[in-house]
Every structure is written in C-alpha cells, then in structure tokens.
Amino acid sequence: MTKYEELAKILFEFSYREAMLDTPFKPRAYELASESVSALKDDIETAWRKGGIKALKDLPGIGQSIAEKIDEFFRTGKIKEYEKMHKDFPVDIWGLSRIEGLGPKHIADLYKYLKVKNLEGLEWALEQHKIRSIPRWGEKSESKLARGLKLMQHSSGRRLLGEILPFAEKIVAKLEAVKGVKRVTVAGSIRRRQETVGDIDLLATTADPKKVMDAFVSLPFVESVHERGKTRSSVRLKIGIDCDLRVVPDQVYGATLQYFTGDKRHNVLLREYALSKGFTLSEYGLFKRSHGARSAKPKLIVCKTEEEIYTRLGMNTPPPEIRVGADEIEAAQKHKLPDLIPYGSVRGDLQVQTNWTDGNSTIEDMAKAAQAAGLSYMAVTDHTKSLAFINGLDEKRLAKQGKEIDALNKSLKGFTVLKGTECDIHKDGKLDLSNEALAKLDWVGVSIHSSFSLSRAEQTKRIIKALSNPNVDCFFHPTCRLIGKREPIDYDFDEVLAAAKKFRVVLEIDCYPDRSDLNDSHVRAAVKAGVMLAIDTDAHAPEHFRFIPLGEAIARRGWATKKDILNTKSAKQLLAFLAKKRQR
Ligand code: DGT
Ligand code: CA
Ligand code: CA
Ligand code: ZN
C-alpha cells in the first residue's frame, strides 16, 4: 500500500465510523476527502509541502478538520485520532466494506454481536451460521452476505488452484469417458500447479473430434459457449471461469502439451535453445531444420510425449511445477534437476484444528478422516487463549485435551494422534502458553494472528524471539498472507530463515488454498538454507485433508525433495527426530 492509499483508507474508515455513530454530514465529508486523496495522490503532498494546512483546504473535498488530520499524517506518518478509533473499534472496516451491500451499520452489528473484526472472522461466522442470530438479520441476509463475500473473492479474475483443480479433474474424467477419446490432459497454469489460475486449458486426442466437442459444450458445468470449433472450443463454466479444449493429432501431442503447459517464459527460453540446436519448436511440433537446399521443408519429428521432446533436445524433462523460465532449463541440460518430492509422500498432518476451538469436528472424527485420506498420524493443534473469540485453549483445557488424546490413542489402530498446539505469538514475541505446558506437548507450532502491521524491524525481532524458545518445533503459516484478502506481513525472511536454522525450527507449508504459505520461492530459499519444512493442511473440517497434494505441489515448485519435508517420516521417526532436537 502506498502512503496515499494508506491515507485514503484511513479517511474512508473515518467515514464509516462516523456513519456508525450516526453523526450528520461527517461521513460524506470524509468520503469525499478519501476520494480526493485517491485521485490526487502525490499532488496532495506537493500542495501540503508548499502551503501546509491552508493549501490542503484549497483542494476539492477537504475542509479545516480533515486538512489538520492530513497535515498530521504527512508530518508524523499517523493520525492519533485514527489510532484511538482503531483501538476502541479494532475492525478492518476497509476490508469488510469491499463486500457489496455491507454498510457501516452492518459492520457495527457484526462486531457488536459476533466480535467479527475482519474477513477471516466473517468467513468463520458464515460457516458457523452465526449471522442469522444477529437481531433483525435472519437467514436471508446471511445468504446474501455469503454471496457477496464469494463475489468479492472472485472479482480479481484469478481463482485459487485448490478451488478450481477438483473441477478440472471432474471435467477430464467426463471427457475421458467419451467414445473415441484416447487422452485428456489439463495444461496451463493448473498443470504447473500455480497458486492461482486464470482459466482451465484442456488438451485431448481422439478418433472422433466432433463427438468430444459435442460432449464438452454440453457438460452440466457449462453456463455458456464462447466458441465451438472443430479443433478448439471455449466455454464459460457455472463456477465463473473459462475452460478451453483443444483436440490435437496424436503425433504432435507432446509438442502441443509442452506448448500449452507453459509458462510463457519457459517456452521462449526452450524455443531459443531448440533453435541453437538446429530445431524449431512450436505448438505444431518439433522440426529438424535441414542444412541443404533452402526450399527443403523442416522435417517433423514425431513426439507423442513431452519427454521425447526434451530428450531430443538433449536434456531431462523439468516437471511442469518448476517450469517458470528461470534456471530450470539450465539444470535440465546439465542433468541436475532435483528429485522432487513425489505426490503421496506426506504421511502425517501436523496442523489440525478440532471443535475444542474453531474446527467443526471432534478429535476422533478428524483422526478417522485423516486415516481415510491415507495418513498414519496427525497432531492436534488447536488455537490458544489469546484467541478468546474462538475459545482458544488455556493450560488447563490443553491438559484436559491431552487426556482425551491419550484415551483415543488406545482405541485407534494404525494411527497416532500427537498432542500439539498452534500457540499464538504475542506482539512482543512471547508465547501464549507457559513453557511448562509447551514442554509436555509432542509438537509445538507457533503463529501470528494479530499485530500484522508492525514495522519490518519489530516484526523480525518478534518472530525470532518466538522461534528462539527451545519448546518451539514449527512456525505455522509463516507469512500470514491470505490470497486476495491479506498481504503477507513484512519481515526479513532471510533473518528468520537463519534463526529457524539456528534454533532447528521447522517452517510450514500450509496447504489451505487461500494461504499456500510458505509459497514456492520461500520454499526454495528454505531448501537452499537447509531448513526443514512440514506440509500441513491446517484442517478445520474432515474434508480438508484432501489439501495435502496442494502443499506437495508447493514443495515441488520450490525444488524440495522428500528429505526436506519432515512429515514424510513415519510417526516413530518423527518423534525420534523431535526428541533429539530437544536434547540439545
Ligand atoms: P493463466 O491461465 O493466466 O493462469 O496462465 P497460463 O499459463 O495457463 O496461460 P494461458 O492460459 O494464457 O496459456 C496457456 C499456455 O499456453 C501458457 O502457459 C503457454 C502457452 N502460451 C499461450 N500464449 C503464448 C505465447 O504467446 N507464447 C508462448 N510461447 N506460449 C504461449
Ligand atoms: Ca490457463
Ligand atoms: Ca487459456
Ligand atoms: Zn492459524
């Protein structure tokens, strides 16, 4: 956020706050001032530099009292009255107001009755069907609000991989069942497992192109048809995303799949390299240029698979997840690609919430779902007491939970539940539970849920202090970003990485689709630094264990191998690893 965006946001929040308090005129005045700042940007600061408060007042939409606040903002970087307002009413008005139809009075109600402070809290309240309990709201307002939230999340145009991938897979399965079809593959950003995707790109080979196109445009998921051709069709799906299908001849399937997998930069680099080796490469195939007569046509090299293309070019095949047009082509040429962690390698989940706090199921039901998803252990990591609005655990309830876990473990076969926590990190880096309580747990995760906007230096210090506690095993969702909703918190990642290495703290790859945190580049840095990682779902419901492959994809995108990921170990190996760590 730039300085001017920050100022516009503050003025906008004042406007909403005044409206909640029913002050006449003021809301509109602040709104106008906020719009002025958004429009004028640095012109406003230039005016202030030249003529101070008086010059500000000459600008459209700015009167005396607002000019004074802007003056204070430019002089000190903050506005005292705003800080006070935010303390009394600690609500992310700006974030919530982005939802269509959610006005000042609604936001006030959400806080008054449900302590909803931000989009995350709102999502939770919707999931728990709490909205209908607010006086005068009812079920209708609840579903309207749910639609509004969805709409806002989708308005960026890009959608979460975790949301779209299951649909893409369903469509593939439907098309594979069409008579004559030989192969159907998802290409594009989905095949590369990018965290957000623009559309769904499908390729198929078939004996009967007309039949597969007919089937495609009449799929039950289709809302409307943009284009229907012999070899290419494009539709809009009901979930609000476009989907393209191309039918290609068998003998160029490799080249076409390679081309439409991308990414674009990878393709450009590969094509240049092919040229230097006497080939041309395009979506239509790999061709060998002849040295003889100029008129001689380049000769098509039949490549039914991608591997044949890369092999012909004298290199290994980089897995789609790492095709980003950086150093993967060079590594493939030198036959130095890492052995990326295979899907299905994760054996246990080290971040799981239950109905002791904000999860929706019992420990037993979560354990059964994890086992059904192919895992052999999980750590129960409910939130801690400073998250009072979700009933975070104090030392006493944590001990009680431990007893329940001991009893449950006696009845489970082939599955182990570990005692853990997602212990909140306070603003000063201290932890939310006593060391005595933490020392009794198998697995201690720590994470940040407040004071997101500390200065870079303060945030770095806070995190390193938390990681230096010898009871800490893992740093959960380390950047706190929520895709489309919250920017990552600002700190020196290299310093935190060095601290994680020094204190032997594991960093988490949180698979939850809007978190995807750490991301691919953080993972790559961690792998390089020799810091151990864990892949966790952050499950709050039994169906969330299916997110594991999304985290494995992030690990692959970050060039991680199996040995870089702690929870590819068995429960026994994991406990031995943790015991050894604590001895030091
Ligand atoms: P998206 O849809 O924005 O999430 O990202 P992609 O990568 O799926 O991009 P999309 O759908 O525009 O195109 C699919 C693939 O087709 C892309 O990854 C690479 C290939 N491609 C598309 N346009 C070009 C191009 O102009 N040049 C090259 N070399 N490749 C292209
Ligand atoms: Ca695409
Ligand atoms: Ca596309
Ligand atoms: Zn958390």
Side-chain angles (χ1 to χ4, degrees):
M1 206 180 268
T2 67
K3 194 176 359 172
Y4 312 105
E5 283 164 349
E6 170 88 31
L7 180 58
K9 168 180 175 274
I10 289 174
L11 293 170
F12 179 86
E13 295 207 354
F14 270 122
S15 143
Y16 258 52
R17 190 64 188 138
E18 295 293 348
M20 286 173 202
L21 301 171
D22 262 335
T23 334
F25 311 117
K26 276 193 177 176
R28 184 70 190 132
Y30 277 116
E31 197 184 334
L32 286 172
S34 171
E35 283 166 10
S36 256
V37 171
S38 300
L40 296 171
K41 299 194 183 76
D42 51 342
D43 285 347
I44 208 160
E45 196 172 3
T46 311
W48 169 77
R49 271 221 188 86
K50 278 191 195 139
I53 293 180
K54 197 170 163 302
L56 288 172
K57 270 168 64 186
D58 288 340
L59 297 170
I62 295 174
Q64 176 69 29
S65 87
I66 292 179
E68 282 169 16
K69 290 197 175 69
I70 297 177
D71 171 67
E72 184 188 349
F73 180 80
F74 284 141
R75 276 187 295 108
T76 67
K78 46 189 178 194
I79 299 176
K80 280 220 181 78
E81 196 180 324
Y82 175 75
E83 311 247 296
K84 179 172 182 319
M85 172 186 105
H86 200 74
K87 211 164 166 190
D88 299 342
F89 188 74
V91 173
D92 177 15
I93 296 175
W94 178 259
L96 288 169
S97 71
R98 280 162 54 208
I99 299 175
E100 186 67 35
L102 200 63
K105 288 276 158 61
H106 300 116
I107 294 177
D109 272 357
L110 284 170
Y111 182 65
K112 182 171 165 199
Y113 293 102
L114 303 176
K115 292 277 166 283
V116 165
K117 291 187 202 163
N118 49 30
L119 290 166
E120 242 179 325
L122 179 64
E123 237 177 332
W124 165 83
L126 281 167
E127 264 169 31
Q128 309 277 324
H129 297 294
K130 298 265 186 200
I131 305 289
R132 58 185 72 172
S133 67
I134 301 176
R136 298 180 307 277
W137 278 50
E139 269 177 57
K140 233 173 148 179
S141 328
E142 183 177 283
S143 55
K144 199 174 139 213
L145 190 52
R147 274 199 308 278
L149 179 67
K150 270 249 143 60
L151 198 75
M152 185 208 77
Q153 290 167 347
H154 293 172
S155 61
S156 72
R158 299 194 67 78
R159 300 282 289 274
L160 295 173
L161 174 69
E163 184 197 359
I164 300 304
L165 182 60
F167 272 95
E169 284 169 346
K170 261 186 224 163
I171 296 173
V172 168
K174 290 255 183 211
L175 296 179
E176 274 172 342
V178 174
K179 212 171 153 224
V181 169
K182 275 188 233 155
R183 278 191 288 193
V184 186
T185 315
V186 183
S189 49
I190 299 183
R191 183 157 185 250
R192 302 194 312 275
R193 298 293 190 268
Q194 216 172 278
E195 62 198 19
T196 63
V197 302
D199 68 352
I200 306 176
D201 304 290
L202 302 172
L203 295 182
T205 55
T206 175
D208 189 347
K210 184 175 177 308
K211 207 168 206 135
V212 70
M213 285 304 177
D214 284 341
F216 177 62
V217 297
S218 49
L219 284 172
F221 319 105
V222 171
E223 184 184 81
S224 59
V225 178
H226 297 306
E227 185 191 332
R228 188 201 180 295
K230 274 189 196 140
T231 59
R232 176 172 188 269
S233 293
S234 174
V235 299
R236 181 83 178 167
L237 300 180
K238 286 176 186 154
I239 52 167
I241 192 168
D242 288 343
C243 181
D244 301 338
L245 172 67
R246 286 185 178 75
V247 171
V248 300
D250 220 19
Q251 68 268 30
V252 296
Y253 194 73
T256 318
L257 179 59
Q258 195 288 316
Y259 179 88
F260 285 109
T261 296
D263 76 356
K264 284 173 192 134
R265 275 172 306 180
H266 175 89
N267 286 356
V268 168
L269 290 178
L270 190 70
R271 202 165 44 212
E272 277 172 13
Y273 180 67
L275 278 173
S276 76
K277 294 261 157 184
F279 295 91
T280 54
L281 176 65
S282 72
E283 60 178 299
Y284 306 108
L286 179 67
F287 298 86
K288 181 86 195 157
R289 290 200 312 275
S290 52
H291 296 289
R294 252 210 239 150
S295 59
K297 256 187 152 176
K299 191 171 160 280
L300 174 72
I301 301 167
V302 172
C303 292
K304 294 187 179 185
T305 66
E306 277 185 327
E307 285 72 21
E308 289 170 71
I309 297 200
Y310 287 100
T311 307
R312 276 290 185 144
L313 295 174
M315 59 172 85
N316 290 348
T317 304
E321 293 91 333
I322 65 167
R323 296 185 201 164
V324 297
D327 52 346
E328 76 276 8
I329 291 185
E330 202 188 319
Q333 287 159 358
K334 293 184 176 153
H335 306 282
K336 278 196 173 148
L337 288 173
D339 203 357
L340 302 185
I341 169 181
Y343 289 102
S345 298
V346 168
R347 297 171 75 174
D349 193 337
L350 295 171
Q351 200 202 141
V352 175
Q353 272 72 231
T354 73
N355 64 1
W356 281 73
T357 58
D358 63 343
N360 77 358
S361 298
T362 61
I363 300 174
E364 182 172 6
D365 286 348
M366 291 304 274
K368 286 189 171 145
Q371 192 168 22
L375 301 177
S376 63
Y377 59 93
M378 72 175 199
V380 172
T381 57
D382 276 303
H383 290 285
T384 54
K385 61 196 176 200
S386 65
L387 275 66
F389 63 103
I390 54 162
N391 206 14
L393 304 185
D394 58 13
E395 287 79 357
K396 221 165 140 190
R397 284 182 70 222
L398 185 69
K400 202 168 150 210
Q401 185 184 59
K403 290 203 177 112
E404 183 178 316
I405 292 174
D406 285 336
L408 178 62
N409 273 326
K410 285 191 187 122
S411 72
L412 293 173
K413 287 210 173 66
F415 193 87
T416 309
V417 180
L418 304 177
K419 288 175 226 168
T421 180
E422 175 174 4
C423 186
D424 192 49
I425 301 175
H426 294 174
K427 190 176 173 183
D428 60 4
K430 292 202 180 106
L431 301 181
D432 202 24
L433 290 174
S434 71
N435 279 324
E436 199 191 352
L438 293 175
K440 288 188 188 131
L441 298 171
D442 300 311
W443 175 250
V444 173
V446 293
S447 64
I448 286 176
H449 298 98
S450 61
S451 302
F452 296 117
S453 49
L454 293 183
S455 73
R456 189 177 170 85
E458 280 175 303
Q459 197 70 274
T460 308
K461 202 169 139 208
R462 170 197 197 180
I463 294 168
I464 292 176
K465 176 158 172 61
L467 302 194
S468 72
N469 182 314
N471 290 305
V472 172
D473 299 309
C474 186
F475 185 22
F476 285 167
H477 49 74
T479 78
C480 295
R481 68 102 176 243
L482 292 172
I483 297 174
K485 286 184 250 170
R486 185 168 67 217
E487 292 295 309
I489 56 175
D490 186 24
Y491 60 84
D492 188 324
F493 188 71
D494 291 335
E495 273 188 44
V496 168
L497 210 51
K501 171 105 179 158
K502 179 170 165 202
F503 302 120
R504 315 221 307 147
V505 171
V506 176
L507 297 185
E508 185 187 59
I509 300 172
D510 189 313
C511 310
Y512 211 87
D514 63 355
R515 287 201 184 268
S516 300
D517 178 14
L518 300 175
N519 71 15
D520 51 352
S521 44
H522 296 125
V523 170
R524 195 140 178 219
V527 168
K528 221 175 243 166
V531 170
M532 187 67 100
L533 297 153
I535 296 176
D536 303 334
T537 62
D538 201 348
H540 284 67
E543 61 272 20
H544 292 163
F545 293 109
R546 68 181 158 80
F547 296 152
I548 291 240
L550 300 172
E552 289 172 334
I554 298 170
R556 288 169 63 83
R557 291 173 62 76
W559 296 46
T561 64
K562 203 170 162 180
K563 68 168 189 4
D564 298 312
I565 308 295
L566 178 64
N567 47 343
T568 58
K569 295 181 191 292
S570 69
K572 215 172 134 191
Q573 290 165 333
L574 172 78
L575 289 171
F577 172 93
L578 292 171
K580 203 168 142 206
K581 167 179 181 277
R582 288 190 187 184
Q583 276 166 13
R584 305 206 170 181

